[in-house]
Amino acid sequence: MSNKGKYTNIGKRIPKLDAVDKATGKAVYPQDIKLSGMLYGKILWSEYPHAEILEIDTSEAEKLSGVKTVITARDMPPTKLGFAQDNPPLKGDKVRSLRDEVAAVAAVDEDTAARALELIKVKYKPLPPVFDPEEAMEDDAPQIHAEAKGNRNKLHYAFEYGEVDAAKAESDVVVKHRFKLGWVKHCCLAPYSCVAAWDGAGKLTMYSPTQVPFLYQRDLADILQILPSKIRVIQPKIGGAFGSKLDLYPNEVICAVLAKKAGHPVKLTYTRQEEFKCTPSRQPVIVDVEMGAKKDGTLIFRDAFVILDNGAYTSWGATIPYVLMNSITSLYRCKNIRFNTATIYTNNAYSGAMRGYGNPQGTFIVERMMDILAEKIGMDALELRLKNCNQPGEVTPQGFQVTTCGLRECLETVAKRLDWVHKRNKGKNQTGTIRRGVGLASFIHVGGGARVYRSDGCGAVVKMDDFGHVTLITGATDIGTGSETALAQITAEELGIRTEDVTVVNDDTAIKPWDVGIHASRTTFIAGNAARKAAAKIKANILKVASDLLDEPESDLEINDRRIFSKANPEKNMDIDKIIRRAHFREDGQTFTAEAFYDPPTQMQDKEYRGNISVSYGFGTQGAEVEVDTETGQVRVLKMVIAHDVGRALNPMLIEGQLEGGVSMGIGYALLEKLVVEKGEVKNPNFLDYKMPTVKDMPPIEIVLVETNDSAGPFGEKGCGEAGTIPTAAAIGNAVADALGFHMFELPMQPELVLNAIKAHKK
Amino acid sequence: MSNKGKYTNIGKRIPKLDAVDKATGKAVYPQDIKLSGMLYGKILWSEYPHAEILEIDTSEAEKLSGVKTVITARDMPPTKLGFAQDNPPLKGDKVRSLRDEVAAVAAVDEDTAARALELIKVKYKPLPPVFDPEEAMEDDAPQIHAEAKGNRNKLHYAFEYGEVDAAKAESDVVVKHRFKLGWVKHCCLAPYSCVAAWDGAGKLTMYSPTQVPFLYQRDLADILQILPSKIRVIQPKIGGAFGSKLDLYPNEVICAVLAKKAGHPVKLTYTRQEEFKCTPSRQPVIVDVEMGAKKDGTLIFRDAFVILDNGAYTSWGATIPYVLMNSITSLYRCKNIRFNTATIYTNNAYSGAMRGYGNPQGTFIVERMMDILAEKIGMDALELRLKNCNQPGEVTPQGFQVTTCGLRECLETVAKRLDWVHKRNKGKNQTGTIRRGVGLASFIHVGGGARVYRSDGCGAVVKMDDFGHVTLITGATDIGTGSETALAQITAEELGIRTEDVTVVNDDTAIKPWDVGIHASRTTFIAGNAARKAAAKIKANILKVASDLLDEPESDLEINDRRIFSKANPEKNMDIDKIIRRAHFREDGQTFTAEAFYDPPTQMQDKEYRGNISVSYGFGTQGAEVEVDTETGQVRVLKMVIAHDVGRALNPMLIEGQLEGGVSMGIGYALLEKLVVEKGEVKNPNFLDYKMPTVKDMPPIEIVLVETNDSAGPFGEKGCGEAGTIPTAAAIGNAVADALGFHMFELPMQPELVLNAIKAHKK
């Protein structure tokens, strides 16, 4: 932190590069794309959660004026998509959820397409459905996939470390509970929209909001049975993703096939209702968890069994136990761990990845259990955490090598700002109907990439023009987090120019170098290192030229704020653009372009889920003060205190924005948001019946950025994109328990749940 | 040529990468761009060729519903554009030609914009105009620019070598003539169209068909008084350029200012009439030329004085004497040269660059004079040429270092295929009204770049994806010549893959590395060398990885048709994409991206126009057989034979296409195309009254590609984009003279001109 002053760009509160365009409506989202001759697509969804398809008659739809093409499973390649390749883009023989795609049309406008859907006649033979994963596990349950006996998905996450059974016996205190966490939505403000266009050479351009353009390119090619290189993915501005676009979904395949068959570009945009019903949610879990400790607070064991409602098909999101496991194994020190899962097919719509990727669930469980353990030991919950706090140099049971770790400082900072000493444990003694309480929760999350795929790398090309302006072509996608602004800052800082001197290009797979995608809070860290590496090459070239022109040794030269000068003789200096032009515009001239690729020195986990998947880990603590109205069951968050170890705050304003957005999502998860699903049907597919937090639900938020200056990160940074969401519900849950004096194990804590719990507790 | 067989891509007849899209209407031209909220611009042109502007009243136009903004000179920065910076984008005080821009509007559609123009009231005070450059040189001529005394443009090209006056005295034979060559148009099939859009951060994106995006970016920034880096130039498909888009013109500045003032994107598209009246033409010249030789045919001297009708303003095209000079000084060996020019302002519309850039004019003059000299000496015209033929190793008076030179072979090939021996000199002896004749003409032209700007370089970024597919990001623009296909072939050949495995990106200044622009037949040569250099870096990296994987020394490995194998042990081999993935998808992985910049080892010419501006020179000969109807004056080309030294024919089909297109342009220049300009007004601004050659005017064309395998070119190539146009008119002119037995000195040889000449000759 001491060298903060020397930076021109790093640590500065610089607005997002695209802020004005987004605020003024100039930004181009997929919805805004208009191509010559473009048609509009619509999908016909299943009428039953589980049924055989006996017949599809599209003849009337095809006759409708303005309809250009109608497709069914017969028009699709025989390939399936999804993590387990169990999802045909259009269903031919059987539907397994109300989200199932049965047919699709492309027409001259959306109204015509919608009218055409009504003319498609589908004969179904309904089959008995099953919606509860525990029921689905029973022997006589309906079989959803012929190849998945007992509705068990092949995905299975099991981890063991130490001697759990022996540890149970050794524990002075053991607590055991069942947690039930349901569906919530990402609530992207832009409903899903994509555009497909084939060119004359048989190449496909997809305008897609995908988070993983290069994986998407490969997956879509596999489905369409063409070479991946035949697909160019262009990512317009993305109006919200939060993990929901980590997969290739049937809508994009359908869009591509419609365009191919119609011989015209096709745009396929969801309505808000479709966005609620037909895009992923956070995956619901039932977790049976047992934890034990010594009387002195030493954590002894954790044992968790997770039942996942996988829905009808398997998305990448079905792998969330991979991360849920992290919080169980690695948040606070504990040396005996057992973790197991059952991933169960049901006739519900399938879920997907969502910000934090299992960690909000895992952290909720661990941190709620920490409070319960502390209570049972008779120890202060903060003290229990400090006693078992993660530390620099530690290696966790899964093999995570903790380098920098500011968790202790985070815990202490939050406790202090929350006035923990005076406010904690006052719940029981309060009289009246309004109860106050405080709670806190911490997290550990990957902060230096995450090698969940064989490459965790990102490429960068940096090109400086004749005027000292730079284009950074990065593999990394920006889904609104502001990562492209952070990358511009990093590039500018390395080159001694200003952030405004950098244009970031990140939207076209034909142009940008490879990147695995935006997930796991990895983008600024990984892409930042790549950008810095490429910029450093240019800097070296510039200094070489400057050394000749200024007749000073390279080692003595510095670039600052667009000017190169000799540290020894500052009167010897020159503007960077002048140097560039002198080098370029002469015989045997040169220009300044460089490329780099950064893949962090990490490991793929082995089959036993051991391996250091990230080069550094992020930590943080959040504290909540809440007020519970015991007559209405209403919970209000009065204050939220955040202390996060972000390595270095490259742009405090953007990090605060990320954290505040994360808190809002966490408050929704904790208190407000519940996708009501009955018999596989979403009952509240709109923003009136599904309540996202608004500005009126947001408490004042105090943010302290703890800087541990991680040597692996660009200028010391660690990833923090998901952080704000992860411990919010846990902190609120702990504060509510502190206010009420008893515990709840479900989310969201809507008034009905709270009131029922109060009633049950009184009994 | 012996190693032709070893190539997979080079020398192959591969269709243009964008051929299908262009043929099926999928290609996107500026006309096809649609942006949200986009308006349509129109320009109000001057009513007088020369007048003071007393008042412009735009109030009625502004009131018209649908009009968003009206601009005049008051809304423009005070800067001027053009090569001599004498052209204000909107004229405030004075108009100097009917092409002058007086005001402009942006409205919701083109009709409204056109209606608004009618409502703008301009009060003029007409001034006496002058249209003839020789009249304009007179003392009492009207002054067009206050700062240009005697209407003399500062541009002045003078060259001297040897002792011309002494040489005149030494010559056995001297001939002297005056040539008059008028305006012809580029006849771009897409009328000029551009779109301007400002973003929220004050950055301007121009969708422009410019040939010189990086110079354009700088020039437009200078005019708008913003940083060049604030301008992003995107080049959609370009529907014809041929040099006409080598300048920044007022329409683009006006479009940008309209968009800025309106706060909306603006598209400004010319009508066909505007395309004829308000875009450049080939610059008209009057040339007084004298040449002398010894009786044995040795060329002794050339002395030329060129009067250029510069029109009202000065475009880059006004520098065409720079190239016209080349043919006078360097086509065939001649050691005493004098060249001088007068560039004169008139009230005609100004001209610009056009394919060949002065060389078709220069070649017409030199080659017509060669025939006349031969006739006067009593020597066969072919023999005269062979005697003075350019040769490898020669240095021309201007200092051009000829490396490879296939001119002798070209001359001999054409003569043979034209049956020169039997058909030449039969004109005079023919009876009847239909006369036949043959003629030939050669050229020299830059073939390895042209350092007319301080950098003649081009950059390339090559990125290979995980499937062995490559993106080439090149600085070089393709204006329809097929250069991007040639670049893909070069890249593919270097990497051992197929042309179809290469995607070329070349349309965005924010993305592509620097290039000086597409002109001087330089693109495939310069950008090809850059692409090959970048590809070679990737190849080296791949071989390194392959050497590890196959356990064979790098030097023993070869890549061919997507497969790497050991030359010694061919059973040791692996697909290139597999090697890429093996290198990428592992811990500490790598990807394959590389950049390069190629600037040819050439010289800027000094003030005396000496210096080796190109790394290699292209040569060629064309022969024509014609039929002249002496009753109608109609000339028909029966056959055209072409032999061109192209270094190496990277793609014979594309070169043939270029040559055939060039011949068509040359036939138009020779026989059909004449922009009729009376008192500064274009009288035939449409394709009915201005006759371009159609398929019915085209003779059979025999093409022989002479391969000299120039070591400086990519795989031996030399530039040949302009070649087809250069000697066509000269060859036809010589054939017509051979048919008629007397000489004409003007173009085009339309029936009226020919009939008049026949009548005059009879007298």
Side-chain angles (χ1 to χ4, degrees):
Chain A
M1 268 187 286
S2 57
N3 50 8
K4 219 172 184 173
K6 75 170 183 175
Y7 293 132
T8 308
N9 303 280
I10 296 300
K12 297 291 185 287
R13 305 179 69 83
I14 296 170
K16 284 184 189 174
L17 299 180
D18 58 8
V20 177
D21 275 4
K22 280 184 169 169
T24 57
K26 283 180 196 274
V28 173
Y29 295 86
Q31 278 84 347
D32 301 313
I33 305 280
K34 288 177 198 166
L35 302 180
S36 282
M38 191 175 76
L39 305 174
Y40 297 82
K42 282 250 172 232
I43 294 172
L44 181 69
W45 305 101
S46 171
E47 288 171 46
Y48 294 91
H50 200 195
E52 277 177 43
I53 297 174
L54 301 178
E55 196 189 317
I56 307 178
D57 177 2
T58 60
S59 56
E60 289 303 311
E62 279 159 19
K63 284 181 207 154
L64 184 67
S65 166
V67 170
K68 295 288 176 178
T69 192
V70 183
I71 59 170
T72 65
R74 286 190 301 272
D75 302 290
M76 302 302 270
T79 38
K80 294 179 181 180
L81 48 68
F83 191 78
Q85 302 208 324
D86 56 9
N87 191 2
L90 279 171
K91 280 64 179 174
D93 51 353
K94 197 177 164 178
V95 288
R96 296 175 180 84
S97 78
L98 290 166
R99 182 185 168 168
D100 278 28
E101 301 81 0
V102 173
V105 300
V108 293
D109 56 43
E110 287 199 323
D111 288 348
T112 306
R115 174 81 191 99
L117 292 186
E118 292 169 12
L119 297 175
I120 298 174
K121 291 171 209 124
V122 186
K123 270 194 205 154
Y124 294 97
K125 181 187 160 197
L127 298 169
V130 60
F131 304 108
D132 181 283
E134 288 180 299
E135 283 173 25
M137 289 161 85
E138 284 167 18
D139 286 346
D140 58 346
Q143 276 287 109
I144 296 168
H145 289 271
E147 57 280 16
K149 297 287 163 222
N151 294 317
R152 271 179 170 74
N153 191 306
K154 272 184 225 156
L155 291 179
H156 182 232
Y157 295 86
F159 177 79
E160 224 167 327
Y161 187 86
E163 297 287 339
V164 173
D165 291 323
K168 279 190 195 184
E170 282 171 32
S171 298
D172 296 327
V173 173
V174 171
V175 293
K176 185 172 179 178
H177 289 286
R178 164 169 276 211
F179 288 83
K180 279 190 175 179
L181 307 176
W183 290 280
V184 286
K185 297 297 291 186
H186 306 75
C187 297
C188 300
L189 291 189
Y192 209 120
S193 179
C194 60
V195 181
W198 295 82
D199 76 4
K203 289 189 180 174
L204 169 64
T205 298
M206 289 295 309
Y207 299 83
S208 166
T210 179
Q211 295 179 236
V212 288
F214 289 96
L215 304 183
Y216 168 104
Q217 181 190 36
R218 185 205 56 184
D219 291 350
L220 182 55
D222 284 352
I223 291 290
L224 297 175
Q225 301 184 309
I226 59 177
L227 278 173
S229 313
K230 296 264 178 198
I231 301 176
R232 184 171 187 167
V233 185
I234 293 176
Q235 297 161 284
K237 289 289 174 196
I238 298 172
F242 309 108
S244 68
K245 280 118 188 166
L246 266 187
D247 274 60
L248 170 68
Y249 294 109
N251 59 327
E252 304 234 15
V253 183
I254 289 167
C255 191
V257 173
L258 281 173
K260 178 89 178 175
K261 198 174 166 200
H264 283 266
V266 170
K267 183 191 284 187
L268 203 164
T269 303
Y270 280 168
T271 61
R272 178 58 63 191
Q273 216 177 62
E274 286 175 312
E275 179 72 14
F276 265 100
K277 290 180 164 186
C278 311
T279 68
S281 319
R282 192 182 287 287
Q283 191 151 22
V285 290
I286 299 167
V287 185
D288 291 305
V289 61
E290 196 175 0
M291 295 190 181
K294 288 280 187 194
K295 270 185 191 160
D296 68 353
T298 309
L299 300 181
I300 297 299
F301 82 93
R302 291 174 178 172
D303 188 359
F305 184 77
V306 183
I307 299 169
L308 296 119
D309 180 349
N310 190 62
Y313 305 100
T314 311
S315 88
W316 250 94
T319 70
I320 63 136
Y322 181 91
V323 176
L324 201 162
M325 184 194 303
N326 297 352
S327 10
I328 306 286
T329 65
S330 305
L331 178 55
Y332 307 117
R333 280 171 292 123
C334 180
K335 292 298 177 192
N336 300 286
I337 308 277
R338 186 154 54 205
F339 181 84
N340 209 340
T341 59
T343 301
I344 307 300
Y345 283 115
T346 66
N347 293 112
N348 292 314
Y350 57 99
S351 302
M354 186 170 170
R355 197 176 193 177
Y357 210 86
N359 205 344
Q361 295 99 310
T363 298
F364 185 75
I365 291 157
V366 169
E367 286 290 29
R368 289 291 295 111
M369 292 294 277
M370 288 294 280
D371 262 27
I372 294 166
L373 258 183
E375 190 180 300
K376 195 135 182 196
I377 295 169
M379 193 173 185
D380 176 67
L382 171 65
E383 201 189 325
L384 179 66
R385 288 175 170 89
L386 287 169
K387 184 173 181 68
N388 297 284
C389 187
N390 298 97
Q391 292 168 3
E394 163 189 347
V395 177
T396 78
Q398 284 193 269
F400 298 172
Q401 291 165 24
V402 176
T403 52
T404 54
C405 173
L407 183 54
R408 180 169 296 273
E409 189 179 339
C410 292
L411 275 163
E412 286 167 350
T413 302
V414 167
K416 192 175 164 199
R417 295 201 171 217
L418 206 57
D419 197 10
W420 179 267
V421 176
H422 298 105
K423 292 193 171 168
R424 177 69 174 182
N425 277 322
K426 299 292 171 286
K428 292 171 235 172
N429 309 325
Q430 291 175 64
T431 53
T433 58
I434 306 292
R435 305 277 177 86
R436 287 199 174 184
V438 296
L440 55 74
S442 302
F443 73 92
I444 175 175
H445 200 67
V446 287
R451 191 174 291 273
V452 293
Y453 196 71
R454 280 195 303 275
S455 169
D456 193 23
C458 178
V461 175
V462 172
K463 157 176 105 85
M464 186 172 262
D465 75 11
D466 296 327
F467 316 102
H469 186 93
V470 154
T471 296
L472 165 66
I473 306 178
T474 173
T477 300
D478 187 341
I479 48 174
T481 62
S483 59
E484 77 177 27
T485 307
L487 297 180
Q489 290 177 262
I490 290 165
T491 307
E493 192 65 51
E494 184 63 28
L495 282 166
I497 56 176
R498 295 187 202 159
T499 302
E500 67 196 79
D501 298 335
V502 181
T503 296
V504 180
V505 171
N506 56 3
D507 59 357
D508 186 342
T509 54
I511 288 160
K512 64 183 189 176
W514 199 84
D515 177 66
V516 75
I518 183 159
H519 64 83
S521 301
R522 67 183 283 283
T523 297
T524 302
F525 185 96
I526 302 280
N529 273 330
R532 191 176 182 186
K533 209 169 152 186
K537 290 184 186 174
I538 291 184
K539 183 179 180 175
N541 283 340
I542 294 173
L543 291 181
K544 215 165 153 189
V545 173
S547 166
D548 283 350
L549 291 173
L550 297 174
D551 195 21
E552 288 281 305
E554 285 168 54
S555 57
D556 220 40
L557 294 176
E558 198 168 293
I559 318 184
N560 192 275
D561 204 15
R562 301 170 174 164
R563 210 164 171 76
I564 300 176
F565 58 92
S566 156
K567 284 176 278 187
N569 309 304
E571 77 284 359
K572 283 197 172 181
N573 64 65
M574 208 171 187
D575 286 345
I576 198 168
D577 60 324
K578 203 169 272 179
I579 286 181
I580 295 284
R581 290 196 294 272
R582 289 280 287 275
H584 180 192
F585 295 110
R586 67 182 186 200
E587 284 161 22
D588 194 26
Q590 65 175 308
T591 52
F592 297 83
T593 302
E595 62 81 32
F597 181 71
Y598 173 76
D599 192 20
T602 50
Q603 307 161 320
M604 278 294 271
Q605 286 187 346
D606 59 22
K607 284 180 184 168
E608 275 141 5
Y609 299 100
R610 283 165 171 86
N612 188 41
I613 55 167
S614 187
V615 99
S616 60
Y617 294 86
F619 295 89
T621 304
Q622 289 181 202
E625 183 174 8
V626 302
E627 195 172 75
V628 185
D629 183 328
T630 55
E631 281 194 317
T632 63
Q634 191 88 38
V635 178
R636 222 158 52 89
V637 183
L638 300 175
K639 180 181 175 177
M640 181 69 71
V641 180
I642 296 181
H644 277 210
D645 167 10
V646 297
R648 180 184 301 284
L650 299 183
N651 185 328
M653 186 165 69
L654 295 192
I655 297 175
E656 287 163 15
Q658 276 299 104
L659 292 176
E660 287 168 4
V663 165
S664 142
M665 205 166 239
I667 288 177
Y669 195 41
L671 302 176
L672 302 168
E673 296 185 41
K674 181 180 187 172
L675 194 72
V676 181
V677 181
E678 287 175 11
K679 294 188 178 172
E681 190 179 355
V682 176
K683 291 294 192 183
N684 57 342
N686 59 69
F687 281 132
L688 280 176
D689 299 316
Y690 179 100
K691 189 157 166 21
M692 264 178 93
T694 66
V695 66
K696 293 171 76 178
D697 302 298
M698 290 296 286
I701 302 176
E702 279 179 35
I703 296 176
V704 179
L705 301 179
V706 173
E707 295 192 316
T708 50
N709 197 8
D710 196 284
S711 62
F715 295 98
E717 187 260 5
K718 298 201 264 189
C720 60
E722 297 162 287
T725 299
I726 296 171
T728 299
I732 293 171
N734 285 345
V736 170
D738 187 52
L740 291 175
F742 65 88
H743 297 281
M744 289 181 288
F745 302 93
E746 281 183 47
L747 290 178
M749 293 176 284
Q750 287 179 333
E752 191 180 358
L753 184 89
V754 175
L755 271 187
N756 285 340
I758 290 171
K759 275 181 211 158
H761 180 68
K762 277 183 184 158
K763 280 180 198 157
Chain B
M1 268 182 288
S2 56
N3 50 7
K4 219 173 185 174
K6 76 171 183 174
Y7 293 132
T8 309
N9 303 279
I10 296 300
K12 298 290 183 288
R13 304 178 69 84
I14 296 169
K16 285 186 190 174
L17 298 180
D18 57 8
V20 177
D21 275 4
K22 281 183 167 168
T24 57
K26 282 179 196 275
V28 174
Y29 296 85
Q31 277 85 346
D32 301 312
I33 305 279
K34 290 177 196 167
L35 301 179
S36 281
M38 191 175 77
L39 304 174
Y40 297 83
K42 282 245 172 238
I43 294 172
L44 182 69
W45 306 100
S46 171
E47 288 172 47
Y48 295 91
H50 200 194
E52 276 178 45
I53 297 173
L54 301 177
E55 197 189 316
I56 307 177
D57 178 0
T58 60
S59 56
E60 289 303 310
E62 279 159 21
K63 283 181 208 154
L64 183 66
S65 167
V67 170
K68 296 288 176 177
T69 192
V70 183
I71 60 171
T72 66
R74 285 189 303 274
D75 301 289
M76 300 304 270
T79 40
K80 293 179 182 179
L81 49 69
F83 190 78
Q85 302 208 324
D86 56 9
N87 191 2
L90 280 171
K91 281 64 179 172
D93 51 353
K94 197 178 166 180
V95 288
R96 296 174 180 86
S97 78
L98 291 166
R99 182 184 167 169
D100 278 29
E101 302 80 0
V102 174
V105 299
V108 292
D109 55 43
E110 288 200 320
D111 288 348
T112 307
R115 174 83 192 98
L117 291 186
E118 292 168 10
L119 298 175
I120 299 173
K121 293 172 205 120
V122 187
K123 270 193 205 154
Y124 295 96
K125 181 186 160 197
L127 297 170
V130 60
F131 304 108
D132 181 283
E134 288 181 297
E135 284 173 24
M137 290 162 83
E138 285 167 17
D139 286 346
D140 57 348
Q143 276 288 108
I144 296 169
H145 290 271
E147 57 280 16
K149 295 287 164 225
N151 295 317
R152 271 183 170 71
N153 191 305
K154 271 184 227 156
L155 290 179
H156 182 234
Y157 295 85
F159 177 80
E160 224 167 326
Y161 187 88
E163 297 287 340
V164 173
D165 292 324
K168 278 189 195 184
E170 283 171 32
S171 298
D172 297 327
V173 172
V174 171
V175 293
K176 185 171 180 179
H177 288 285
R178 165 169 276 211
F179 288 83
K180 280 190 174 178
L181 307 176
W183 290 278
V184 286
K185 298 297 289 187
H186 305 76
C187 296
C188 300
L189 291 189
Y192 209 120
S193 179
C194 60
V195 181
W198 295 82
D199 76 3
K203 289 190 179 173
L204 169 63
T205 299
M206 289 295 307
Y207 299 83
S208 166
T210 178
Q211 295 179 237
V212 288
F214 289 96
L215 304 182
Y216 169 105
Q217 181 191 36
R218 184 205 57 185
D219 291 349
L220 182 56
D222 283 352
I223 292 290
L224 296 175
Q225 301 185 309
I226 61 178
L227 277 174
S229 312
K230 296 263 180 200
I231 300 176
R232 183 172 188 167
V233 185
I234 293 176
Q235 298 161 283
K237 289 289 172 197
I238 298 171
F242 310 108
S244 68
K245 280 117 189 169
L246 265 187
D247 274 60
L248 171 68
Y249 293 109
N251 59 326
E252 304 236 14
V253 183
I254 289 167
C255 191
V257 173
L258 282 173
K260 178 90 178 173
K261 199 177 167 200
H264 284 265
V266 171
K267 182 191 284 186
L268 203 164
T269 305
Y270 280 169
T271 61
R272 177 60 61 191
Q273 212 174 65
E274 286 175 313
E275 179 73 15
F276 266 100
K277 290 179 164 186
C278 310
T279 67
S281 318
R282 192 181 287 286
Q283 193 152 22
V285 291
I286 300 167
V287 185
D288 291 305
V289 61
E290 196 175 359
M291 296 190 180
K294 288 282 189 195
K295 271 187 189 160
D296 68 355
T298 310
L299 300 180
I300 298 296
F301 81 93
R302 291 175 178 172
D303 188 359
F305 183 77
V306 183
I307 300 169
L308 295 119
D309 179 348
N310 190 61
Y313 304 100
T314 311
S315 87
W316 251 94
T319 68
I320 64 134
Y322 180 91
V323 177
L324 202 162
M325 182 193 304
N326 297 352
S327 10
I328 308 286
T329 65
S330 305
L331 178 55
Y332 307 116
R333 278 170 294 124
C334 179
K335 292 299 177 190
N336 300 286
I337 308 277
R338 184 153 57 206
F339 182 85
N340 209 340
T341 59
T343 302
I344 308 300
Y345 283 115
T346 66
N347 293 113
N348 293 314
Y350 57 100
S351 303
M354 187 170 168
R355 197 177 193 175
Y357 210 88
N359 205 345
Q361 295 97 312
T363 298
F364 185 76
I365 291 156
V366 169
E367 286 290 30
R368 291 288 296 111
M369 293 295 276
M370 287 293 281
D371 263 25
I372 295 167
L373 258 184
E375 189 179 303
K376 195 136 182 195
I377 296 170
M379 190 173 186
D380 177 67
L382 171 65
E383 200 188 326
L384 179 67
R385 288 176 171 88
L386 288 169
K387 185 172 179 72
N388 296 284
C389 186
N390 298 98
Q391 292 167 3
E394 162 189 348
V395 177
T396 78
Q398 285 193 270
F400 298 172
Q401 292 164 24
V402 176
T403 52
T404 53
C405 173
L407 183 54
R408 180 169 296 273
E409 189 180 340
C410 292
L411 276 163
E412 287 169 349
T413 302
V414 166
K416 192 176 164 196
R417 295 202 172 217
L418 207 57
D419 196 11
W420 178 266
V421 176
H422 298 105
K423 294 193 170 170
R424 178 69 173 182
N425 277 322
K426 301 290 171 282
K428 292 172 236 171
N429 309 324
Q430 292 176 60
T431 54
T433 58
I434 306 291
R435 303 279 177 86
R436 287 197 173 185
V438 296
L440 55 75
S442 302
F443 73 92
I444 175 175
H445 200 65
V446 288
R451 191 174 291 275
V452 293
Y453 197 72
R454 280 195 301 277
S455 169
D456 193 22
C458 178
V461 175
V462 173
K463 158 176 104 86
M464 186 172 262
D465 75 10
D466 296 327
F467 317 102
H469 187 93
V470 154
T471 296
L472 165 66
I473 306 178
T474 172
T477 299
D478 186 343
I479 49 173
T481 61
S483 59
E484 76 177 26
T485 306
L487 297 180
Q489 291 178 261
I490 290 165
T491 306
E493 192 66 50
E494 183 63 29
L495 283 166
I497 55 176
R498 297 188 201 159
T499 303
E500 67 195 79
D501 298 335
V502 181
T503 295
V504 180
V505 171
N506 55 4
D507 60 356
D508 186 343
T509 55
I511 288 162
K512 65 183 189 177
W514 198 84
D515 176 68
V516 76
I518 182 157
H519 63 82
S521 303
R522 67 184 282 285
T523 297
T524 301
F525 185 95
I526 301 282
N529 273 328
R532 191 177 181 186
K533 209 169 153 187
K537 290 184 188 174
I538 291 184
K539 183 179 181 175
N541 283 339
I542 293 173
L543 290 181
K544 216 166 154 187
V545 173
S547 166
D548 283 349
L549 291 174
L550 298 174
D551 196 22
E552 290 280 306
E554 285 167 52
S555 56
D556 221 39
L557 294 176
E558 200 169 291
I559 319 186
N560 191 276
D561 203 15
R562 302 172 174 162
R563 209 161 172 77
I564 300 176
F565 58 93
S566 158
K567 284 177 277 187
N569 308 304
E571 76 285 359
K572 284 197 173 182
N573 64 66
M574 210 171 183
D575 285 347
I576 199 169
D577 60 325
K578 203 169 272 181
I579 286 181
I580 296 284
R581 289 197 294 272
R582 289 279 288 272
H584 180 193
F585 295 111
R586 67 182 187 200
E587 284 161 23
D588 195 25
Q590 65 175 307
T591 52
F592 297 82
T593 302
E595 63 82 32
F597 182 72
Y598 174 76
D599 193 18
T602 50
Q603 306 162 321
M604 277 295 270
Q605 286 187 347
D606 59 23
K607 282 180 185 166
E608 276 140 4
Y609 299 99
R610 283 166 171 85
N612 188 41
I613 55 165
S614 188
V615 102
S616 60
Y617 295 86
F619 295 90
T621 303
Q622 290 182 200
E625 182 173 7
V626 303
E627 195 171 75
V628 186
D629 184 329
T630 55
E631 282 193 317
T632 63
Q634 192 88 38
V635 178
R636 222 157 51 91
V637 183
L638 301 175
K639 180 180 176 176
M640 180 69 71
V641 180
I642 296 181
H644 277 210
D645 167 9
V646 297
R648 179 184 303 281
L650 300 183
N651 186 329
M653 186 165 71
L654 295 191
I655 296 174
E656 287 163 15
Q658 277 300 103
L659 292 176
E660 287 167 6
V663 165
S664 142
M665 205 168 238
I667 288 177
Y669 194 42
L671 301 176
L672 301 168
E673 297 184 41
K674 180 179 188 173
L675 194 74
V676 181
V677 181
E678 287 175 10
K679 295 187 177 172
E681 189 181 354
V682 176
K683 291 293 191 184
N684 56 344
N686 59 68
F687 281 132
L688 280 176
D689 298 318
Y690 179 99
K691 185 151 167 27
M692 263 179 93
T694 65
V695 67
K696 293 171 75 177
D697 302 299
M698 291 296 286
I701 301 175
E702 277 178 36
I703 297 176
V704 179
L705 301 179
V706 173
E707 295 193 316
T708 50
N709 197 7
D710 196 282
S711 63
F715 294 98
E717 188 260 6
K718 298 202 267 189
C720 60
E722 296 162 288
T725 299
I726 296 171
T728 299
I732 294 171
N734 284 346
V736 169
D738 186 52
L740 292 174
F742 65 88
H743 298 280
M744 290 182 286
F745 303 92
E746 282 184 47
L747 291 179
M749 294 176 284
Q750 288 179 334
E752 191 180 358
L753 185 90
V754 176
L755 272 187
N756 287 340
I758 290 171
K759 276 182 209 158
H761 181 69
K762 277 183 183 160
K763 278 179 198 162

